[in-house]
Amino acid sequence: EREMECRLISAELASFRPAWLRFFDAAPKGCACVLAIDPVPAPTVRQMAKNLAGKDFEAQAVIGRRNGEYFLLDYRLSRGHDVGWTVATALELARQWRVLRIIVEETSQSAHLPGFLRAEMARRGAYHAVVPTPVSANKFIRITTALNGPASQGKLWCSARPAEFVEQFGAYGPTYT
């Protein structure tokens, strides 16, 4: 399923061109990696009653950079709000990809997440820098600002495996809020 704010639009109105996205067969070696977490707030009673229909997805993505090229190395989605899943998945991805830091999009609803990550790292004895990043602009602006430059220059790579990302990349546009 698509993320809550994603809707079909014409190719002419899309913020990104599908041809900009490049694909790799095997993950490149020697990337400097970060894990970015886009958490979601806890579901409301109404959302729970609707079995989370219309609820946004939490996304975790490992981004690698090497020689000015950016690689989407791994991508996980979860519908709803499960802090246990968030922490376990983040630390699994951090270990697997040897990330330099974990970047957490910080909203009032997710302010507790860096603390949960640090507590679990202390319990495991495996540490990664956790960088809470305040949300300063709307989601559409943050996404297009981050991806437009590298993607339009042919420097954004991913495997075909994260089908949700590939599909949303070519359909993302200014009608998203």
Side-chain angles (χ1 to χ4, degrees):
E1 289 186 37
R2 293 179 171 272
E3 192 168 352
M4 182 175 64
E5 73 276 357
C6 292
R7 294 178 220 113
L8 289 174
I9 62 168
S10 68
E12 295 80 18
L13 295 176
S15 295
F16 311 117
R17 305 288 178 253
W20 292 350
L21 195 57
R22 298 174 69 186
F23 297 95
F24 60 81
D25 292 323
K29 304 278 188 229
C31 288
C33 299
V34 297
L35 170 62
I37 302 175
D38 178 9
V40 294
T44 63
V45 173
R46 183 175 177 198
Q47 289 169 328
M48 291 298 287
K50 291 183 174 183
N51 200 24
L52 300 179
K55 179 77 173 138
D56 200 1
F57 284 93
E58 174 173 314
Q60 295 192 26
V62 177
I63 310 296
R65 184 171 190 259
R66 191 182 92 202
N67 298 328
E69 306 276 327
Y70 295 86
F71 300 87
L72 176 60
L73 299 170
D74 209 335
Y75 185 77
R76 309 279 172 91
L77 294 174
S78 176
R79 178 159 290 208
H81 175 79
D82 180 349
V83 175
W85 179 89
T86 301
V87 171
T89 302
L91 296 182
E92 173 194 338
L93 290 170
R95 181 195 54 77
Q96 178 183 349
W97 293 100
R98 298 181 179 170
V99 301
L100 300 174
R101 64 183 52 96
I102 300 171
I103 301 167
V104 179
E105 196 171 84
E106 190 175 57
T107 64
S108 59
Q109 297 92 357
S110 66
H112 60 282
L113 186 53
F116 287 136
L117 286 166
R118 289 183 184 110
E120 183 61 16
M121 286 187 285
R123 190 187 72 75
R124 293 180 183 196
Y127 297 91
H128 302 276
V130 177
V131 181
T133 303
V135 175
S136 58
N138 77 35
K139 194 169 196 169
F140 174 76
I141 291 171
R142 291 192 319 271
I143 291 170
T144 54
T145 301
L147 296 179
N148 235 341
S152 67
Q153 299 302 309
K155 296 185 179 292
L156 182 60
W157 295 77
C158 76
S159 71
R161 188 178 63 81
E164 300 89 0
F165 176 81
V166 173
E167 182 183 335
Q168 289 181 13
F169 182 83
Y172 199 75
T175 61
Y176 305 98
T177 55

